[in-house]
Amino acid sequence: MYAREWHELNAEGKSLRFIARQYGVSHNSVSRILRKHQLPVRIGHSAEFKDISNQQFGLITAVEVSEKTCAKGSYYWRCYCACNPNISLFILGSDLRRDRKTHCGCNFPMKFDISGEKYGYLTANKDSGERRSGGVMWECRCVCSNKTLVSYGDLTSGHTKSCGCKHRRSGEDHHNWSGSSEVKHYLRNHLMSWKFKSLKFYGRKCVITGTEKQIEVHHLNKSFIGIFKEALEFHDLPELSSVGAYTSRQLEQLTAKVISLHFEYGLGVPISHKLHKEFHSLYGHSTTPAEFNEFVSMKEKK
């Protein structure tokens, strides 16, 4: 009912907050009602108001003033940072003018150079240039050849030790990461089609318990290490310590041979992580189908 009066006062230069105080309502209510009646809203300010529209403060550009204020009445400005103009930031005008805010956090300096340092299965390559919550994000290379971004804090504290592959590997698929383990891990990551077909053939369940949780694929007819060494011998390649030690052609040949040998020796058998670990603790890692069947029979009798 006051919409027209409020509009006239606002058009005269009275701020929404001034009008709100006169009528005992909130400035948000004044704004909402004016817009509801499709009346233009002019944001009025006190004498201290300074227009900083389109001005730059470091990497921050102020776009327009917002109706949001702090407890002291200072206005927030809708801004954007040069690192990502599509994201709106709301910053107090006083913080901008006094150089308290000159970037969104993307421009924090790299205090420590950890290029080439190893943290678990990750090697820090370089500062990615990205900042998250004020932290420097490092581009890292995992032993499985995946690249990932990890903060300096997560690397140095030990919170993050791999790209995530470590947590998906256990039992026979988990390495001690010594010798040629980086190469083996790289090759295992290329066996997904063999593992998928093995799981599908057995209904994605442990052949002993029938569980579908924490399932691993056991090499029934020949161990992975045996297949790996056979592939090396086939191409007359040495067992090197890292993926990068092979040429692209050698790595391509080795990968293709390892995959083909897996299918030649037949599908693997799904088994729970707990039983898989128990089986290898009893029989070792160079096992035969007869030993696995003996283990299955022993478990089924219990």
Side-chain angles (χ1 to χ4, degrees):
M1 57 182 173
Y2 296 111
R4 182 59 60 181
E5 294 178 29
W6 292 350
H7 169 62
E8 291 175 356
L9 288 172
N10 185 236
E12 293 173 2
K14 303 299 183 182
S15 71
L16 300 185
R17 289 186 177 278
F18 174 85
I19 297 170
R21 286 195 296 269
Q22 298 301 310
Y23 287 82
V25 297
S26 70
H27 74 283
N28 286 328
S29 296
V30 175
S31 175
R32 185 174 63 253
I33 290 175
L34 289 176
R35 287 186 169 87
K36 180 180 179 181
H37 288 82
Q38 298 183 341
L39 296 171
V41 176
R42 174 184 173 184
I43 302 176
H45 303 278
S46 65
E48 286 101 18
F49 173 74
K50 294 183 180 180
D51 189 356
I52 56 174
S53 303
N54 300 316
Q55 291 185 32
Q56 286 189 315
F57 303 87
L59 298 179
I60 298 291
T61 299
V63 179
E64 62 183 0
V65 71
S66 74
E67 293 183 13
K68 180 181 177 182
T69 61
C70 70
K72 295 181 179 180
S74 299
Y75 281 89
Y76 281 86
W77 284 78
R78 185 173 71 81
C79 311
Y80 67 83
C81 184
C83 72
N84 193 339
N86 296 320
I87 296 180
S88 292
L89 308 170
F90 290 89
I91 304 173
L92 281 171
S94 57
D95 285 345
L96 291 170
R97 294 193 303 272
R98 295 170 186 172
D99 292 328
R100 292 174 181 166
K101 281 285 187 178
T102 57
H103 56 86
C104 67
C106 63
N107 201 37
F108 282 114
M110 181 182 72
K111 294 182 180 179
F112 305 101
D113 188 356
I114 56 172
S115 303
E117 296 291 328
K118 291 188 176 182
Y119 300 90
Y121 312 135
L122 297 172
T123 299
N125 288 339
K126 61 181 180 180
D127 176 2
S128 69
E130 184 174 334
R131 302 292 184 268
R132 295 179 189 172
S133 300
V136 177
M137 301 302 296
W138 280 84
E139 179 188 287
C140 302
R141 181 172 175 268
C142 186
V143 293
C144 68
S145 297
N146 286 337
K147 288 185 178 180
T148 185
L149 296 184
V150 186
S151 71
Y152 171 85
D154 283 347
L155 284 172
T156 55
S157 68
H159 181 271
T160 303
K161 298 181 179 180
S162 73
C163 68
C165 60
K166 169 179 174 286
H167 304 292
R168 298 193 295 268
R169 301 285 172 184
S170 56
E172 187 182 13
D173 280 347
H174 185 51
H175 301 290
N176 292 322
W177 307 97
S178 60
S180 59
S181 58
E182 179 181 332
V183 179
K184 295 181 189 122
H185 189 68
Y186 173 87
L187 294 171
R188 286 178 184 272
N189 278 347
H190 288 75
L191 296 177
M192 298 312 296
S193 61
W194 175 79
K195 289 188 176 183
F196 177 80
K197 290 185 179 180
S198 299
L199 291 169
K200 185 178 180 181
F201 183 81
Y202 288 94
R204 306 177 189 279
K205 297 179 181 179
C206 173
V207 295
I208 299 174
T209 64
T211 183
E212 298 179 4
K213 296 181 179 180
Q214 293 186 305
I215 299 298
E216 298 171 0
V217 179
H218 169 67
H219 287 75
L220 183 63
N221 297 307
K222 190 160 187 173
S223 69
F224 173 82
I225 300 301
I227 291 176
F228 171 59
K229 291 185 179 297
E230 184 175 335
L232 287 173
E233 185 178 345
F234 180 85
H235 287 292
D236 194 24
L237 294 172
E239 185 173 341
L240 301 177
S241 61
S242 66
V243 173
Y246 291 101
T247 66
S248 298
R249 178 59 178 164
Q250 288 173 333
L251 192 60
E252 182 181 327
Q253 291 176 329
L254 183 59
T255 303
K257 189 60 179 177
V258 167
I259 294 172
S260 66
L261 284 174
H262 270 78
F263 282 103
E264 287 178 27
Y265 282 109
L267 299 176
V269 181
I271 184 173
S272 71
H273 163 65
K274 182 179 179 180
L275 290 176
H276 200 194
K277 184 177 180 180
E278 182 181 348
F279 170 74
H280 284 298
S281 68
L282 291 173
Y283 294 90
H285 285 273
S286 295
T287 61
T288 65
E291 289 173 325
F292 184 76
N293 291 333
E294 180 182 86
F295 179 75
V296 172
S297 298
M298 178 179 66
K299 288 299 175 181
E300 288 179 342
K301 289 179 182 178
K302 291 184 178 181

